[in-house]
Amino acid sequence: MSRPTVLVTRRIPQAALERVQAACEVQHWDSDDAIPRKTLLEWIKDKDGLYCLLTERIDAELLDAAGPRLRVVSTMSVGYDHVDIAACQARHIAVGNTPGVLTETTADLALALLLATARRLPEAIDAVKNGAWGPWKPEWMTGRDLFGSTVGVIGLGRIGAAFARRLTGFDCRILYTGNQPRSDVAAPLKAEFVELDTLLAQSDFVALHCPLNDATRHLVNADFLRKMKPTAMLINTTRGPVVDQDALYQALKNGTIAAAGLDVTSPEPLPPDHPLLTLPNCVVLPHIGSASIATRTKMALIAADNLIAGVQEQPLPNAV
Ligand code: NDP
Ligand code: DGY
């Protein structure tokens, strides 16, 4: 019996590649650069499975280019906003993702980003390096306290809850909002379910943990930012397009809010001359939420398992 053929669109941890190679014939874009769209459309033809990253747009055009053999799309990410799920369902193509294994690592990074933003760490580090560090002075480089503050979590899902759990160690009051209350998760955290407007009016930090979808695209717009306290800070580790970046730039420049910490932007990478990067009160990281060695390896292996199950027409270990 012939082995299934699959396309892997990026250099991935070796253990995962070997697992895929043991079960499939692999065409591999063996590079840290993204596969060009034209090449992707050519190479996907007649494949049984696709192992992709969040940088590839998986849409009807691509599925049509693949042809009728394609049985599974396996993305090495928990987020699947880059995959047209309806188009996959219409063609009976299974979709796999990597929930759970990256939850704690991403929550760690969200907390690190919050603290870096609140306590102005990038500015302070720059000051040490560029000679701006003078004698100790009472009001220099002062930021905001996390301990004892009110933190609003938008989306108390896996990562939102893991982030909130960390905040209990800082004696924070936790507010959250979402499609519905999650009392089972919220109770041990003493997190209160509130309307979005209440969360924005009361929070010292607003952390985004909802997925990107039609309801959340540009959820953070000028109106949203106006409802936040002028001393409040926005932390985004979900997806860039959840935030209207032009509105955020204006809000940070005009003092509508105090600061923002972003692990995700639109586009990615953010061009080095982007206006947001001129602002001292905007901390930007290059989408490293899940970037620990152990977690990226687990994600790669789960994506391999989803792919292999899909081409073998078995239920995926983690189906979307
Ligand atoms: P979950 O599905 O566990 O959590 C998402 C939560 O958001 C759910 O509780 C969901 O509620 C809620 N939600 C959905 N729509 C809305 C809305 N309109 N307003 C408020 N809340 C909403 O996902 P994860 O926690 O595992 O991941 C969340 C996202 O984080 C991913 O989709 C991804 O985009 C991003 N991510 C980023 C990483 C990074 O590197 N920066 C790393 C990992 C993930 P309900 O279930 O009721 O719909
Ligand atoms: C995801 O998994 O969705 C992240 O953005 C990358 O880990």
Side-chain angles (χ1 to χ4, degrees):
M1 214 173 83
S2 69
R3 281 157 40 102
T5 61
V6 300
L7 171 59
V8 176
T9 61
R10 193 71 60 84
R11 186 167 298 147
I12 59 172
Q14 187 63 20
L17 182 65
E18 284 171 9
R19 194 174 286 187
V20 174
Q21 283 170 331
C24 311
E25 292 305 318
V26 180
Q27 187 166 16
H28 189 197
W29 181 259
D30 187 13
S31 167
D32 285 330
D33 291 325
I35 184 169
R37 178 77 180 174
K38 188 168 172 293
T39 309
L40 178 60
L41 291 175
E42 284 165 14
W43 285 15
I44 192 64
K45 187 169 163 29
D46 293 336
K47 294 291 186 294
D48 299 297
L50 172 63
Y51 185 121
C52 66
L53 306 190
L54 52 85
T55 41
E56 279 86 58
R57 202 175 67 252
I58 310 303
D59 56 8
E61 180 191 34
L62 180 119
L63 302 177
D64 289 343
R69 291 175 61 114
L70 191 68
R71 273 169 272 168
V72 59
V73 170
S74 172
T75 180
M76 193 191 133
S77 60
V78 65
Y80 51 84
D81 46 278
H82 56 296
V83 181
D84 184 337
I85 300 294
C88 290
Q89 278 171 345
R91 292 163 178 78
H92 304 290
I93 295 167
V95 179
N97 69 340
T98 65
V101 286
L102 44 52
T103 296
E104 303 300 332
T105 301
T106 307
D108 279 354
L109 189 280
L111 181 63
L113 178 58
L114 189 157
L115 285 167
T117 307
R119 296 299 301 274
R120 305 171 59 182
L121 297 192
E123 274 182 273
I125 293 166
D126 280 351
V128 173
K129 289 185 179 166
N130 67 23
W133 182 12
W136 191 93
K137 35 192 178 290
E139 291 179 299
W140 186 64
M141 279 296 164
T142 48
R144 302 268 166 193
D145 288 318
L146 172 59
F147 80 87
S149 68
T150 298
V151 182
V153 176
I154 299 191
L156 197 70
R158 287 174 293 251
I159 298 169
F163 172 73
R165 232 179 10 257
R166 284 156 174 74
L167 299 177
T168 61
F170 291 82
D171 286 339
C172 294
R173 175 181 175 226
I174 300 166
L175 307 178
Y176 77 101
T177 194
N179 294 322
Q180 67 260 317
R182 296 208 50 205
S183 310
D184 50 330
V185 177
L189 304 169
K190 298 191 175 61
E192 306 160 44
F193 183 75
V194 292
E195 293 298 323
L196 178 61
D197 282 5
T198 307
L199 182 147
L200 297 180
Q202 297 189 9
S203 297
D204 300 303
F205 300 93
V206 173
L208 303 174
H209 292 289
C210 53
L212 171 63
N213 55 37
D214 289 345
T216 61
R217 189 176 300 277
H218 282 200
L219 171 71
V220 180
N221 56 20
D223 187 46
F224 179 112
L225 293 160
R226 253 193 315 274
K227 290 175 180 166
M228 289 173 64
K229 295 186 192 182
T231 50
M233 301 184 181
L234 177 78
I235 305 299
N236 186 13
T237 57
T238 62
R239 286 290 183 267
V242 175
V243 175
D244 173 347
Q245 284 180 177
D246 294 339
L248 178 63
Y249 173 78
Q250 290 304 330
L252 291 171
K253 204 164 163 58
N254 302 337
T256 309
I257 66 167
L262 313 174
D263 181 45
V264 286
T265 60
S266 181
E268 290 180 3
L270 197 64
D273 61 352
H274 192 280
L276 278 176
L277 299 178
T278 65
L279 300 174
N281 55 346
C282 188
V283 176
V284 182
L285 300 178
H287 201 148
I288 55 168
S290 62
S292 79
I293 297 165
T295 290
R296 286 285 168 82
T297 303
K298 287 182 202 159
M299 290 166 66
L301 288 169
I302 290 180
D305 290 343
N306 282 334
L307 180 81
I308 293 164
V311 295
Q312 294 175 349
E313 300 194 56
Q314 300 295 317
L316 308 196
N318 282 289
V320 169

